[in-house]
mmCIF file of all heavy atoms in Angstrom:
data_model
loop_
_atom_site.group_PDB
_atom_site.id
_atom_site.type_symbol
_atom_site.label_atom_id
_atom_site.label_comp_id
_atom_site.label_asym_id
_atom_site.label_seq_id
_atom_site.Cartn_x
_atom_site.Cartn_y
_atom_site.Cartn_z
ATOM 1 N N GLY A 394 25.693 39.215 -15.809
ATOM 2 C CA GLY A 394 26.546 38.314 -15.031
ATOM 3 C C GLY A 394 25.767 37.263 -14.256
ATOM 4 O O GLY A 394 26.351 36.385 -13.650
ATOM 5 N N ARG A 395 24.431 37.350 -14.307
ATOM 6 C CA ARG A 395 23.634 36.400 -13.575
ATOM 7 C C ARG A 395 23.075 35.303 -14.450
ATOM 8 O O ARG A 395 22.228 34.521 -14.016
ATOM 9 C CB ARG A 395 22.458 37.136 -12.896
ATOM 10 C CG ARG A 395 22.910 38.184 -11.887
ATOM 11 C CD ARG A 395 21.690 38.731 -11.145
ATOM 12 N NE ARG A 395 22.063 39.743 -10.196
ATOM 13 C CZ ARG A 395 22.102 41.030 -10.430
ATOM 14 N NH1 ARG A 395 21.799 41.475 -11.631
ATOM 15 N NH2 ARG A 395 22.465 41.900 -9.496
ATOM 16 N N ARG A 396 23.508 35.200 -15.691
ATOM 17 C CA ARG A 396 22.899 34.246 -16.609
ATOM 18 C C ARG A 396 23.092 32.786 -16.142
ATOM 19 O O ARG A 396 22.198 31.974 -16.273
ATOM 20 C CB ARG A 396 23.502 34.404 -18.005
ATOM 21 C CG ARG A 396 23.026 35.641 -18.692
ATOM 22 C CD ARG A 396 23.437 35.688 -20.161
ATOM 23 N NE ARG A 396 22.890 36.867 -20.818
ATOM 24 C CZ ARG A 396 23.049 37.111 -22.117
ATOM 25 N NH1 ARG A 396 23.753 36.280 -22.855
ATOM 26 N NH2 ARG A 396 22.510 38.187 -22.648
ATOM 27 N N GLN A 397 24.279 32.492 -15.568
ATOM 28 C CA GLN A 397 24.537 31.147 -15.076
ATOM 29 C C GLN A 397 23.568 30.776 -13.959
ATOM 30 O O GLN A 397 23.017 29.694 -13.887
ATOM 31 C CB GLN A 397 25.990 30.989 -14.591
ATOM 32 C CG GLN A 397 26.311 29.571 -14.062
ATOM 33 C CD GLN A 397 26.171 28.511 -15.107
ATOM 34 O OE1 GLN A 397 26.413 28.737 -16.281
ATOM 35 N NE2 GLN A 397 25.689 27.340 -14.695
ATOM 36 N N ALA A 398 23.334 31.728 -13.047
ATOM 37 C CA ALA A 398 22.404 31.479 -11.942
ATOM 38 C C ALA A 398 20.986 31.235 -12.465
ATOM 39 O O ALA A 398 20.240 30.392 -11.961
ATOM 40 C CB ALA A 398 22.422 32.651 -10.964
ATOM 41 N N GLU A 399 20.608 32.017 -13.515
ATOM 42 C CA GLU A 399 19.264 31.809 -14.105
ATOM 43 C C GLU A 399 19.148 30.415 -14.656
ATOM 44 O O GLU A 399 18.130 29.734 -14.480
ATOM 45 C CB GLU A 399 18.999 32.827 -15.202
ATOM 46 C CG GLU A 399 19.227 34.289 -14.836
ATOM 47 C CD GLU A 399 18.210 34.761 -13.804
ATOM 48 O OE1 GLU A 399 17.336 33.952 -13.414
ATOM 49 O OE2 GLU A 399 18.305 35.920 -13.368
ATOM 50 N N SER A 400 20.198 29.912 -15.346
ATOM 51 C CA SER A 400 20.140 28.564 -15.945
ATOM 52 C C SER A 400 20.015 27.517 -14.847
ATOM 53 O O SER A 400 19.272 26.542 -14.993
ATOM 54 C CB SER A 400 21.420 28.319 -16.743
ATOM 55 O OG SER A 400 21.511 29.229 -17.810
ATOM 56 N N GLU A 401 20.714 27.725 -13.737
ATOM 57 C CA GLU A 401 20.640 26.771 -12.631
ATOM 58 C C GLU A 401 19.235 26.755 -12.027
ATOM 59 O O GLU A 401 18.720 25.706 -11.657
ATOM 60 C CB GLU A 401 21.670 27.103 -11.586
ATOM 61 C CG GLU A 401 23.118 26.868 -12.018
ATOM 62 C CD GLU A 401 24.124 27.310 -10.987
ATOM 63 O OE1 GLU A 401 23.696 27.862 -9.909
ATOM 64 O OE2 GLU A 401 25.316 27.112 -11.239
ATOM 65 N N ARG A 402 18.594 27.924 -11.935
ATOM 66 C CA ARG A 402 17.223 27.956 -11.400
ATOM 67 C C ARG A 402 16.260 27.262 -12.331
ATOM 68 O O ARG A 402 15.370 26.546 -11.871
ATOM 69 C CB ARG A 402 16.808 29.427 -11.201
ATOM 70 C CG ARG A 402 17.528 30.116 -10.054
ATOM 71 C CD ARG A 402 16.943 31.492 -9.796
ATOM 72 N NE ARG A 402 17.610 32.142 -8.693
ATOM 73 C CZ ARG A 402 18.231 33.304 -8.730
ATOM 74 N NH1 ARG A 402 18.257 33.972 -9.902
ATOM 75 N NH2 ARG A 402 18.791 33.838 -7.676
ATOM 76 N N VAL A 403 16.423 27.455 -13.602
ATOM 77 C CA VAL A 403 15.542 26.760 -14.585
ATOM 78 C C VAL A 403 15.700 25.239 -14.440
ATOM 79 O O VAL A 403 14.728 24.497 -14.365
ATOM 80 C CB VAL A 403 15.858 27.209 -16.009
ATOM 81 C CG1 VAL A 403 15.122 26.332 -16.986
ATOM 82 C CG2 VAL A 403 15.499 28.666 -16.201
ATOM 83 N N ALA A 404 16.956 24.784 -14.372
ATOM 84 C CA ALA A 404 17.204 23.358 -14.225
ATOM 85 C C ALA A 404 16.584 22.822 -12.945
ATOM 86 O O ALA A 404 16.044 21.711 -12.901
ATOM 87 C CB ALA A 404 18.708 23.072 -14.277
ATOM 88 N N LYS A 405 16.710 23.594 -11.861
ATOM 89 C CA LYS A 405 16.163 23.157 -10.583
ATOM 90 C C LYS A 405 14.647 23.028 -10.662
ATOM 91 O O LYS A 405 14.054 22.053 -10.193
ATOM 92 C CB LYS A 405 16.530 24.150 -9.508
ATOM 93 C CG LYS A 405 16.096 23.775 -8.100
ATOM 94 C CD LYS A 405 16.569 24.797 -7.066
ATOM 95 C CE LYS A 405 16.208 24.398 -5.656
ATOM 96 N NZ LYS A 405 16.635 25.407 -4.662
ATOM 97 N N LEU A 406 13.982 24.015 -11.294
ATOM 98 C CA LEU A 406 12.549 23.926 -11.444
ATOM 99 C C LEU A 406 12.114 22.739 -12.271
ATOM 100 O O LEU A 406 11.197 22.007 -11.949
ATOM 101 C CB LEU A 406 12.025 25.244 -12.081
ATOM 102 C CG LEU A 406 11.691 26.386 -11.145
ATOM 103 C CD1 LEU A 406 11.362 27.634 -11.972
ATOM 104 C CD2 LEU A 406 10.537 26.036 -10.249
ATOM 105 N N GLU A 407 12.798 22.544 -13.405
ATOM 106 C CA GLU A 407 12.444 21.431 -14.295
ATOM 107 C C GLU A 407 12.627 20.086 -13.621
ATOM 108 O O GLU A 407 11.875 19.141 -13.888
ATOM 109 C CB GLU A 407 13.243 21.518 -15.579
ATOM 110 C CG GLU A 407 12.861 22.725 -16.438
ATOM 111 C CD GLU A 407 13.731 22.867 -17.677
ATOM 112 O OE1 GLU A 407 14.872 22.348 -17.631
ATOM 113 O OE2 GLU A 407 13.295 23.472 -18.666
ATOM 114 N N SER A 408 13.599 19.970 -12.735
ATOM 115 C CA SER A 408 13.866 18.677 -12.076
ATOM 116 C C SER A 408 12.833 18.364 -11.041
ATOM 117 O O SER A 408 12.716 17.204 -10.623
ATOM 118 C CB SER A 408 15.255 18.717 -11.419
ATOM 119 O OG SER A 408 15.249 19.562 -10.295
ATOM 120 N N LEU A 409 12.025 19.349 -10.620
ATOM 121 C CA LEU A 409 11.037 19.115 -9.539
ATOM 122 C C LEU A 409 9.619 19.035 -10.051
ATOM 123 O O LEU A 409 8.701 19.050 -9.256
ATOM 124 C CB LEU A 409 11.145 20.258 -8.517
ATOM 125 C CG LEU A 409 12.383 20.271 -7.613
ATOM 126 C CD1 LEU A 409 12.440 21.564 -6.837
ATOM 127 C CD2 LEU A 409 12.373 19.061 -6.680
ATOM 128 N N GLU A 410 9.415 18.934 -11.353
ATOM 129 C CA GLU A 410 8.075 18.990 -11.882
ATOM 130 C C GLU A 410 7.204 17.817 -11.401
ATOM 131 O O GLU A 410 5.987 17.948 -11.298
ATOM 132 C CB GLU A 410 8.075 19.059 -13.408
ATOM 133 C CG GLU A 410 8.522 20.364 -13.922
ATOM 134 C CD GLU A 410 8.487 20.449 -15.452
ATOM 135 O OE1 GLU A 410 8.993 19.493 -16.082
ATOM 136 O OE2 GLU A 410 7.982 21.465 -15.953
ATOM 137 N N ASP A 411 7.815 16.666 -11.048
ATOM 138 C CA ASP A 411 7.050 15.539 -10.497
ATOM 139 C C ASP A 411 6.698 15.724 -9.032
ATOM 140 O O ASP A 411 5.801 15.058 -8.529
ATOM 141 C CB ASP A 411 7.840 14.232 -10.664
ATOM 142 C CG ASP A 411 7.708 13.670 -12.052
ATOM 143 O OD1 ASP A 411 6.754 14.093 -12.764
ATOM 144 O OD2 ASP A 411 8.540 12.851 -12.445
ATOM 145 N N ASP A 412 7.425 16.586 -8.340
ATOM 146 C CA ASP A 412 7.169 16.842 -6.909
ATOM 147 C C ASP A 412 6.416 18.155 -6.794
ATOM 148 O O ASP A 412 6.983 19.206 -6.605
ATOM 149 C CB ASP A 412 8.536 16.902 -6.169
ATOM 150 C CG ASP A 412 8.338 17.012 -4.656
ATOM 151 O OD1 ASP A 412 7.197 17.148 -4.202
ATOM 152 O OD2 ASP A 412 9.373 16.937 -3.945
ATOM 153 N N VAL A 413 5.087 18.080 -6.908
ATOM 154 C CA VAL A 413 4.295 19.277 -7.098
ATOM 155 C C VAL A 413 4.387 20.219 -5.890
ATOM 156 O O VAL A 413 4.398 21.448 -6.060
ATOM 157 C CB VAL A 413 2.800 18.892 -7.392
ATOM 158 C CG1 VAL A 413 2.158 18.252 -6.195
ATOM 159 C CG2 VAL A 413 2.029 20.124 -7.820
ATOM 160 N N GLU A 414 4.437 19.691 -4.671
ATOM 161 C CA GLU A 414 4.506 20.565 -3.508
ATOM 162 C C GLU A 414 5.788 21.381 -3.534
ATOM 163 O O GLU A 414 5.784 22.591 -3.374
ATOM 164 C CB GLU A 414 4.427 19.730 -2.224
ATOM 165 C CG GLU A 414 4.421 20.544 -0.947
ATOM 166 C CD GLU A 414 3.095 21.159 -0.624
ATOM 167 O OE1 GLU A 414 2.118 20.813 -1.309
ATOM 168 O OE2 GLU A 414 3.042 21.985 0.280
ATOM 169 N N SER A 415 6.924 20.704 -3.752
ATOM 170 C CA SER A 415 8.185 21.420 -3.801
ATOM 171 C C SER A 415 8.229 22.356 -4.995
ATOM 172 O O SER A 415 8.737 23.484 -4.890
ATOM 173 C CB SER A 415 9.357 20.420 -3.895
ATOM 174 O OG SER A 415 9.375 19.593 -2.748
ATOM 175 N N TYR A 416 7.687 21.932 -6.123
ATOM 176 C CA TYR A 416 7.688 22.765 -7.349
ATOM 177 C C TYR A 416 6.929 24.065 -7.082
ATOM 178 O O TYR A 416 7.400 25.157 -7.413
ATOM 179 C CB TYR A 416 7.055 22.011 -8.492
ATOM 180 C CG TYR A 416 7.017 22.801 -9.784
ATOM 181 C CD1 TYR A 416 8.099 22.779 -10.655
ATOM 182 C CD2 TYR A 416 5.889 23.568 -10.115
ATOM 183 C CE1 TYR A 416 8.067 23.524 -11.840
ATOM 184 C CE2 TYR A 416 5.878 24.294 -11.293
ATOM 185 C CZ TYR A 416 6.946 24.282 -12.149
ATOM 186 O OH TYR A 416 6.939 25.012 -13.298
ATOM 187 N N ASN A 417 5.753 23.963 -6.463
ATOM 188 C CA ASN A 417 4.957 25.144 -6.218
ATOM 189 C C ASN A 417 5.662 26.117 -5.278
ATOM 190 O O ASN A 417 5.658 27.330 -5.485
ATOM 191 C CB ASN A 417 3.586 24.777 -5.649
ATOM 192 C CG ASN A 417 2.674 24.181 -6.717
ATOM 193 O OD1 ASN A 417 2.905 24.354 -7.904
ATOM 194 N ND2 ASN A 417 1.651 23.459 -6.266
ATOM 195 N N LEU A 418 6.264 25.574 -4.221
ATOM 196 C CA LEU A 418 6.953 26.430 -3.267
ATOM 197 C C LEU A 418 8.141 27.155 -3.908
ATOM 198 O O LEU A 418 8.322 28.375 -3.747
ATOM 199 C CB LEU A 418 7.468 25.582 -2.064
ATOM 200 C CG LEU A 418 6.383 25.092 -1.108
ATOM 201 C CD1 LEU A 418 7.001 24.098 -0.111
ATOM 202 C CD2 LEU A 418 5.730 26.270 -0.372
ATOM 203 N N ILE A 419 8.951 26.407 -4.676
ATOM 204 C CA ILE A 419 10.145 26.995 -5.286
ATOM 205 C C ILE A 419 9.756 27.918 -6.414
ATOM 206 O O ILE A 419 10.378 28.965 -6.622
ATOM 207 C CB ILE A 419 11.093 25.871 -5.739
ATOM 208 C CG1 ILE A 419 11.640 25.134 -4.518
ATOM 209 C CG2 ILE A 419 12.227 26.450 -6.579
ATOM 210 C CD1 ILE A 419 12.500 23.975 -4.853
ATOM 211 N N ALA A 420 8.709 27.566 -7.166
ATOM 212 C CA ALA A 420 8.254 28.427 -8.270
ATOM 213 C C ALA A 420 7.882 29.807 -7.755
ATOM 214 O O ALA A 420 8.198 30.841 -8.381
ATOM 215 C CB ALA A 420 7.103 27.773 -9.003
ATOM 216 N N GLU A 421 7.178 29.847 -6.595
ATOM 217 C CA GLU A 421 6.812 31.133 -6.038
ATOM 218 C C GLU A 421 8.044 31.962 -5.695
ATOM 219 O O GLU A 421 8.082 33.162 -5.847
ATOM 220 C CB GLU A 421 5.941 30.905 -4.763
ATOM 221 C CG GLU A 421 4.553 30.403 -5.063
ATOM 222 C CD GLU A 421 3.715 30.243 -3.818
ATOM 223 O OE1 GLU A 421 3.349 31.275 -3.224
ATOM 224 O OE2 GLU A 421 3.458 29.096 -3.405
ATOM 225 N N GLU A 422 9.094 31.276 -5.162
ATOM 226 C CA GLU A 422 10.353 31.980 -4.826
ATOM 227 C C GLU A 422 11.014 32.493 -6.104
ATOM 228 O O GLU A 422 11.533 33.609 -6.150
ATOM 229 C CB GLU A 422 11.257 31.058 -4.050
ATOM 230 C CG GLU A 422 10.746 30.647 -2.681
ATOM 231 C CD GLU A 422 11.668 29.643 -2.021
ATOM 232 O OE1 GLU A 422 12.735 29.377 -2.576
ATOM 233 O OE2 GLU A 422 11.310 29.120 -0.939
ATOM 234 N N GLU A 423 11.059 31.622 -7.137
ATOM 235 C CA GLU A 423 11.770 31.991 -8.344
ATOM 236 C C GLU A 423 11.114 33.167 -9.075
ATOM 237 O O GLU A 423 11.788 33.901 -9.833
ATOM 238 C CB GLU A 423 11.870 30.789 -9.271
ATOM 239 C CG GLU A 423 12.695 29.630 -8.728
ATOM 240 C CD GLU A 423 14.051 30.068 -8.247
ATOM 241 O OE1 GLU A 423 14.776 30.714 -9.017
ATOM 242 O OE2 GLU A 423 14.380 29.799 -7.083
ATOM 243 N N ILE A 424 9.805 33.323 -8.882
ATOM 244 C CA ILE A 424 9.143 34.462 -9.519
ATOM 245 C C ILE A 424 9.786 35.767 -9.087
ATOM 246 O O ILE A 424 9.998 36.707 -9.876
ATOM 247 C CB ILE A 424 7.644 34.475 -9.146
ATOM 248 C CG1 ILE A 424 6.938 33.315 -9.857
ATOM 249 C CG2 ILE A 424 6.986 35.794 -9.492
ATOM 250 C CD1 ILE A 424 5.515 33.097 -9.430
ATOM 251 N N SER A 425 10.174 35.866 -7.805
ATOM 252 C CA SER A 425 10.794 37.081 -7.307
ATOM 253 C C SER A 425 12.303 37.110 -7.547
ATOM 254 O O SER A 425 12.887 38.198 -7.694
ATOM 255 C CB SER A 425 10.520 37.242 -5.807
ATOM 256 O OG SER A 425 11.112 36.168 -5.087
ATOM 257 N N LYS A 426 12.969 35.926 -7.671
ATOM 258 C CA LYS A 426 14.409 35.916 -7.816
ATOM 259 C C LYS A 426 14.897 36.130 -9.228
ATOM 260 O O LYS A 426 16.045 36.525 -9.441
ATOM 261 C CB LYS A 426 14.942 34.565 -7.294
ATOM 262 C CG LYS A 426 14.832 34.383 -5.802
ATOM 263 C CD LYS A 426 15.392 33.027 -5.382
ATOM 264 C CE LYS A 426 15.290 32.821 -3.866
ATOM 265 N NZ LYS A 426 15.794 31.473 -3.474
#
Side-chain angles (χ1 to χ4, degrees):
R395 299 187 180 92
R396 289 189 176 183
Q397 179 62 34
E399 307 294 358
S400 298
E401 291 176 357
R402 289 187 179 123
V403 171
K405 185 177 182 181
L406 272 173
E407 291 175 337
S408 70
L409 288 170
E410 286 182 314
D411 279 341
D412 186 353
V413 67
E414 182 79 9
S415 299
Y416 180 87
N417 286 341
L418 287 172
I419 293 175
E421 289 183 70
E422 294 176 6
E423 296 308 307
I424 288 171
S425 63
K426 290 181 180 178

